[in-house]
Amino acid sequence: MTKMRKPTIRDVAKVAGVSTATVSKFMNAQQSFSEPVESKIREAIDQLGYQQNFMARAVATGKTGAIGLGVLDICNPHYTNVVKGANRIALERNYSLLVVDLDENQRQIKQRLQTLITRVDGLLISGRLSDEVIDWLTELRIPVVFIGHPFRTGVISVGMDVKLTIDILANYLIQQQLKSIAYVGYSGANWNSVRIAELKSIFADHDIKFIEYNVEEPTVEAAERIASKVLLSNHRADAIIACNDQVAIGLMGQARQFGVRIPQDIAIAGIDNNPISKHVNPSLTTIDTRGQDLGEMAIKKVLDLIEGKTVISREDLDPELVIRESTKRI
């Protein structure tokens, strides 16, 4: 039985009626051609079922055609949005996106990233890292862009203004003439202390009592464990700002179990605008931190750096308040 020969780049060029150099430049995104020429190449690729040999491409061009993305917790919908946004641009630019779940494990982060960087042309990092790991990443020979990490010299990053994010949500709640507001934070995050300081300052100016809580991790389960302390206290707040939507949803589920009505007895708001936040009951008021947009912006920076272009070291997107039922007092 004769084994069917795999189509080659020469076969694609012959069917498309162009040179092998034209097909190669098109496949490797090295040059743009007229729409008729590019259409002929795409049709030839589809007709022949041609698949590029990425190992050969890496040897010939010195490029892998892949971008790496390390996220802190792939189960967190915020990071899922980041992946979705980055992957959309990667596909448009003929790159593959390789995703690694860093799994909130600081001791193994460097090891996991070391495995990834040998296979990619550039790297995106979305998550909390130690200064040691950040210093190591900035010394790599491939472009690295951080998502959400605060600005520092020598680091290229995209993110969202932490103070502005919390200001928008706090000022919205202030308008409801509340006497006390609690913040359920996560001390393991670098933005946590910034948020707390900003909330204390804002509420002090409006004579609103500020109550502070902390979860062991920013998850639904961790929120459920602290819920009785937050929701059944004799000094329960009139409203809660949760550090993210996951924590807010965990508190809302337990409030239902405790017979605490939302928003009549207590208002709850989150941060992130995860897809599920509009489907819980009541729907969750939140701040949209625009994960998909951050993913898109970050990978565009990496691709520009790969092409030798100059990029702005830090860019922030504006957060957006999404008002839903969980804070609408009757």
Side-chain angles (χ1 to χ4, degrees), residues 83-93 97 292-293 296:
V83 171
K84 190 173 183 66
N87 192 57
R88 183 183 299 121
I89 301 302
L91 293 174
E92 289 179 2
R93 302 280 287 271
L97 186 70
Q292 290 192 37
D293 292 338
E296 289 187 3

Side-chain angles (χ1 to χ4, degrees), residues 73 75-78 104 128 169 182-189 191-192 195 212-228 230-231 239-256 258 262 266-274 276-277 280 282 284-286 326:
D73 180 7
C75 292
N76 186 319
H78 170 72
E104 292 269 12
R128 293 177 286 276
L169 191 50
Y183 173 67
V184 181
Y186 172 57
S187 59
W191 38 252
N192 196 65
R195 287 182 181 179
E212 181 184 341
Y213 298 98
N214 188 69
V215 287
E216 297 173 350
E217 54 186 8
T219 63
V220 171
E221 294 77 15
E224 290 174 342
R225 291 194 291 270
I226 199 176
S228 60
V230 177
L231 298 170
I240 295 171
I241 296 174
C243 62
N244 67 12
D245 287 357
Q246 298 286 87
V247 171
I249 290 169
L251 292 172
M252 289 172 66
Q254 290 302 105
R256 191 176 300 111
F258 298 153
I262 301 170
I266 187 169
I268 297 181
I271 296 173
D272 276 344
N273 194 29
N274 293 337
I276 196 174
S277 63
V280 295
L284 178 65
T285 290
T286 185
S326 67

Side-chain angles (χ1 to χ4, degrees), residues 16 35 46 62 72 85 103 123 127 137 151 155 186 191 197 199 208 227-228 241 267 288 296 310 329:
E35 181 55 35
D46 290 340
L72 200 60
D103 199 27
L123 186 63
L137 287 169
F151 171 81
V155 168
Y186 172 57
W191 38 252
L199 288 171
I208 294 175
S228 60
I241 296 174
D288 189 347
E296 289 187 3
T310 301
R329 293 289 185 119

Side-chain angles (χ1 to χ4, degrees), residues 148-195:
H149 201 279
F151 171 81
R152 55 177 276 187
T153 303
V155 168
I156 298 173
S157 62
V158 300
M160 193 152 288
D161 189 310
V162 176
K163 288 186 177 181
L164 181 58
T165 299
I166 211 70
D167 285 354
I168 291 172
L169 191 50
N171 285 306
Y172 162 69
L173 293 174
I174 287 171
Q175 293 172 12
Q176 300 192 34
Q177 299 181 340
L178 304 170
K179 295 182 179 179
S180 61
I181 300 177
Y183 173 67
V184 181
Y186 172 57
S187 59
N190 49 40
W191 38 252
N192 196 65
S193 60
V194 178
R195 287 182 181 179

Side-chain angles (χ1 to χ4, degrees), residues 51-112:
Q51 293 183 335
Q52 190 173 20
N53 185 327
F54 288 99
M55 291 298 292
R57 169 181 172 174
V59 171
T61 66
K63 302 293 183 183
T64 66
I67 302 297
L69 170 56
V71 297
L72 200 60
D73 180 7
I74 197 64
C75 292
N76 186 319
H78 170 72
Y79 295 111
T80 305
N81 283 336
V82 171
V83 171
K84 190 173 183 66
N87 192 57
R88 183 183 299 121
I89 301 302
L91 293 174
E92 289 179 2
R93 302 280 287 271
N94 200 32
Y95 274 83
S96 299
L97 186 70
L98 306 183
V99 181
V100 169
D101 186 356
L102 301 178
D103 199 27
E104 292 269 12
N105 191 326
Q106 291 293 325
R107 287 180 296 180
Q108 294 184 12
I109 282 178
K110 188 172 180 180
Q111 177 183 346
R112 294 180 183 186

